[in-house]
Amino acid sequence: MLLFQKCDVYAPEPLGIKDVLMAGGKILAVEDEIAAPAGLPVTVVPCGGLKMIPGLVDCHVHIAGAGGEGGPSTRTPELHLGSLIRGGITSVIGCLGTDGLTRNVESVLMKAKGFREEGISAWILTGAYQVPPPTLLGDVGRDVSLIEEVIGVGEIAISDHRTSFPTIEELIRLAEHARVGAMLGGKAGIVNLHMGDAQDPFHPVYEAVRRSELKPTQFLPTHCNRNDYIFEDAKEYGKEGFIDITTSSYPFFPEYEIKPSKTIGLLTDAGVPVEHVTFSSDGGGSLPHFDEEGNLVKLVSGAPRSLFDEMIAAVAEEGVALETALMVATSNPAGIFKLPGKGRLGEGQDGDAVLLREDLTIAHVVARGEWMIRDGEQVAKGRFEP
Ligand code: ZN
């Protein structure tokens, strides 16, 4: 049992100074004052001056590695627990990526199970860039309905030279299978779309919606800040559909990308409801840059930590209210992907929280009611973490 006393709680909406009691991996109570239950082993954590926020939900991470666009030595490695929890991430959604040929969904699923054993919460998307996508049970709908950890499909690449250029009919069929699988399995069945550099990048999504009964909210297009023209289109698309902003790539491509911390203000000023915006790190992904002839000229790997850093930069540098900035990395992804108990602080929610110091740096992280980071020290480690 953990009793956090006198925290300034952001649920993400501000609740004021509260005591928070966690036990059995859940939040039992959020009250003005909670007395330590007598006769039970309770750790009292004084939190004067600390802000408690929900544990971050990173909804697009290459947990089992990705990449390889520059040959076998450029395959990115599996992520360690520490790379997530040091950025306050207590829930992660894993996906495959460019390489659906030599990598498989099975290894992403096992990696998610591994993260669960190590103390955080993890789900996956079935499929990869390619259509038809690789799956576990032979069909996206079967994966989503029958396998608990599978909550959607992606990242399916469109508008990119590495995509298999799915036809509109293929995109509709895929989304329909994800949707029916999700209805049967009690999930959201989101189709996560990797948006490439092609012009008019949202065209296939608009067409898929126009020619079917699908809603735009069945899709979550990611990398919407990768260049100025996709970002301009996202300002329009985001009024109806969801928009995911990638946080890890900006430092490597500042000449092309829109800084994630600036996007919240720019999108909401354009009339996009903030509830439609998510941030994800694309951690573990390779960030290749190709020249005009399609030659690989640069390749780096994304850091999950960027999710926290860009969210905080939106507050510290762009003047976004903390409760608004928090939404894009907590309640919005948890709501869009229908993750039970995640993304919010409150009675009955999971015991996932980050405690921030006055300067908005991380003091503590707890996941499912257990310490991950305590007084700035990482106390939970992945099995093979150095
Ligand atoms: Zn991608």
Side-chain angles (χ1 to χ4, degrees):
M1 266 192 180
L2 294 173
L3 176 56
F4 298 90
Q5 288 182 325
K6 304 265 170 287
C7 330
D8 191 5
V9 177
Y10 286 77
E13 68 277 8
L15 301 183
I17 306 293
K18 299 280 179 189
D19 289 359
V20 179
L21 181 66
M22 292 184 190
K26 296 272 183 193
I27 298 175
L28 291 193
V30 180
E31 302 283 349
D32 288 347
E33 209 164 321
I34 300 173
L40 291 171
V42 187
T43 305
V44 175
V45 189
C47 292
L50 298 182
K51 290 180 171 62
M52 181 183 273
I53 65 169
L56 271 55
V57 179
D58 196 344
C59 62
H60 182 109
V61 186
H62 300 281
I63 57 176
E69 287 99 325
S73 67
T74 63
R75 289 158 60 90
T76 66
E78 290 196 359
L79 295 182
H80 290 298
L81 177 72
S83 68
L84 298 169
I85 57 176
R86 285 197 299 270
I89 297 160
T90 55
S91 295
V92 66
I93 300 175
C95 59
L96 209 44
T98 326
D99 184 0
L101 303 174
T102 77
R103 295 180 182 271
N104 54 46
V105 185
E106 285 84 347
S107 44
V108 185
L109 176 60
M110 286 307 275
K111 184 67 189 181
K113 288 177 187 284
F115 276 147
R116 287 185 177 194
E117 273 190 16
E118 290 173 349
I120 62 169
S121 300
W123 291 269
I124 72 161
L125 305 174
T126 190
Y129 268 30
Q130 294 82 13
V131 175
T135 63
L136 296 158
L137 302 175
D139 177 84
V140 164
R142 290 172 66 84
D143 283 9
V144 174
S145 60
L146 291 169
I147 300 172
E148 189 269 326
E149 291 92 343
V150 180
I151 55 169
V153 58
E155 54 177 311
I156 303 292
I158 61 171
S159 319
D160 189 291
H161 63 103
R162 289 163 292 172
T163 169
S164 54
F165 291 98
T167 63
I168 303 304
E169 281 66 33
E170 282 176 316
L171 207 52
I172 292 171
R173 198 159 304 127
L174 190 70
E176 245 355 308
H177 282 217
R179 195 178 78 86
V180 173
M183 286 162 67
L184 300 173
K187 298 168 183 176
I190 293 290
V191 182
N192 192 210
L193 295 170
H194 161 101
M195 306 299 281
D197 279 325
Q199 293 289 337
D200 201 6
F202 289 99
H203 174 74
V205 194
Y206 282 123
E207 276 301 294
V209 169
R210 191 178 65 81
R211 294 195 212 165
S212 69
E213 294 288 302
L214 292 163
K215 301 270 182 298
T217 47
Q218 194 70 41
F219 299 92
L220 178 60
T222 187
H223 316 320
C224 292
N225 56 321
R226 71 181 300 143
N227 58 49
D228 50 5
Y229 53 89
I230 187 173
F231 190 67
E232 281 311 303
D233 288 356
K235 288 177 182 171
E236 209 41 54
Y237 179 82
K239 289 172 187 162
E240 298 294 319
F242 301 133
I243 292 293
D244 187 50
I245 299 295
T246 299
T247 57
S248 66
S249 45
Y250 172 78
F252 305 107
F253 307 108
E255 65 276 40
Y256 304 107
E257 300 207 352
I258 318 296
K259 191 174 187 320
S261 60
K262 295 186 188 296
T263 61
I264 301 176
L266 292 170
L267 288 168
T268 50
D269 285 353
V272 175
V274 70
E275 291 79 7
H276 283 200
V277 183
T278 58
F279 276 16
S280 68
S281 72
D282 202 10
S286 72
L287 303 168
H289 185 50
F290 301 91
D291 67 14
E292 299 276 287
E293 275 77 50
N295 302 307
L296 180 75
V297 288
K298 184 157 129 181
L299 187 134
V300 288
S301 177
R305 162 91 204 193
S306 60
L307 178 65
F308 177 84
D309 291 341
E310 289 294 336
M311 183 191 76
I312 292 300
V315 179
E317 295 165 16
E318 309 300 332
V320 177
L322 178 60
E323 56 268 38
T324 306
L326 285 172
M327 291 171 70
V328 304
T330 62
S331 55
N332 290 357
I336 289 168
F337 282 94
K338 282 197 190 165
L339 304 180
K342 301 301 182 188
R344 300 191 54 81
L345 295 174
E347 204 181 301
Q349 293 289 106
D350 286 356
D352 296 340
V354 178
L355 286 121
L356 302 176
R357 304 184 187 97
E358 209 77 59
D359 62 358
L360 303 179
T361 56
I362 294 176
H364 312 302
V365 178
V366 283
R368 303 202 321 251
E370 301 286 341
W371 289 108
M372 295 283 123
I373 309 268
R374 193 169 184 179
D375 295 320
E377 288 294 315
Q378 187 186 337
V379 292
K381 270 203 168 181
R383 193 168 292 265
F384 297 105
E385 197 167 335

